[in-house]
Amino acid sequence: AAPGAWARPLERSRQAIKAFAEDPGGPVSWEGNSLQFAVGKRRRPFAMADPRLAQSPKMPLLEWPRTMAAPLDFLAACVKGSNGIDHKHSVLLTATDTALEWQMRDEMDCFEHTCEISPGPPAKTNFSIDYIENLLQHCVGDIVTISLGTDYPMRFVANIEGGTLSATLAPRL
């Protein structure tokens, strides 16, 4: 939601609760778990919050063509090496038979870095560097598990302080 998008609904909620507190028999009443407003002879419910906002989005069950363990220091070096490149451009992450290749370029510059990984089928994806940069700030340990495929989201699983972080990043097409 845009910054300040909740200001108006929150102010409406405050006004409704204030009116209810001042006159319980007036145009505002509680019925079940919702506030009701009397508008003429009709009563209308007032949703305090949309319950769908509290639910986790349903992630489709995906079977990624390639899952690999990547060194955390490799990804950190890639992010650091890509800092001089305009972030509006995406990262191309390619898994060949035995290597993981990071490539980010703009009109003026290019950064490429490669590390060895366990053998597997080839796969590649484009994604925003900003997400990986933010995720890496919270990671601990030496290894990050990456699952990817051509035109698949990228799954990123890493250890963080007190647990495990699992994020799915949509590809930039």
Side-chain angles (χ1 to χ4, degrees):
W6 286 97
R8 188 171 178 203
L10 288 175
E11 183 57 31
R12 286 178 46 205
S13 298
R14 284 190 200 105
Q15 291 171 355
I17 293 169
K18 183 178 178 184
F20 178 69
E22 290 174 357
D23 185 11
V28 180
S29 63
W30 282 106
E31 288 185 20
N33 290 332
S34 68
L35 281 174
Q36 300 285 323
F37 285 92
V39 180
K41 294 182 180 181
R42 301 185 70 169
R43 299 202 73 66
R44 302 212 183 258
F46 178 79
M48 297 298 286
D50 188 344
R52 294 173 294 172
L53 296 175
Q55 297 173 357
S56 297
K58 300 234 185 284
M59 179 66 192
L61 295 175
L62 293 175
E63 291 185 27
W64 280 270
R66 180 76 184 264
T67 298
M68 70 211 80
L72 184 60
D73 58 349
F74 165 75
L75 292 172
C78 290
V79 168
K80 186 175 180 180
S82 299
N83 273 340
I85 299 174
D86 189 351
H87 282 205
K88 73 178 180 182
H89 298 282
S90 59
V91 172
L92 174 62
L93 193 65
T94 306
T96 63
D97 293 341
T98 59
L100 183 61
E101 300 171 355
W102 173 290
Q103 184 182 78
M104 187 170 178
R105 65 178 58 220
D106 63 12
E107 296 80 20
M108 303 293 291
D109 204 0
C110 177
F111 177 79
E112 295 177 353
H113 198 39
T114 303
C115 77
E116 291 185 19
I117 55 173
S118 58
K124 67 180 178 178
T125 190
N126 285 303
F127 61 91
S128 171
I129 189 173
D130 296 327
Y131 295 116
I132 291 293
E133 195 171 29
N134 291 336
L135 293 171
L136 289 177
Q137 292 175 3
H138 304 286
C139 295
V140 296
D142 298 331
I143 299 294
V144 173
T145 303
I146 297 175
S147 301
L148 55 96
T150 304
D151 295 333
Y152 270 71
M154 180 175 72
R155 184 167 180 200
F156 181 91
V157 180
N159 292 328
I160 59 171
E161 187 88 23
T164 302
L165 170 72
S166 178
T168 304
L169 308 176
R172 278 193 171 173
L173 302 175

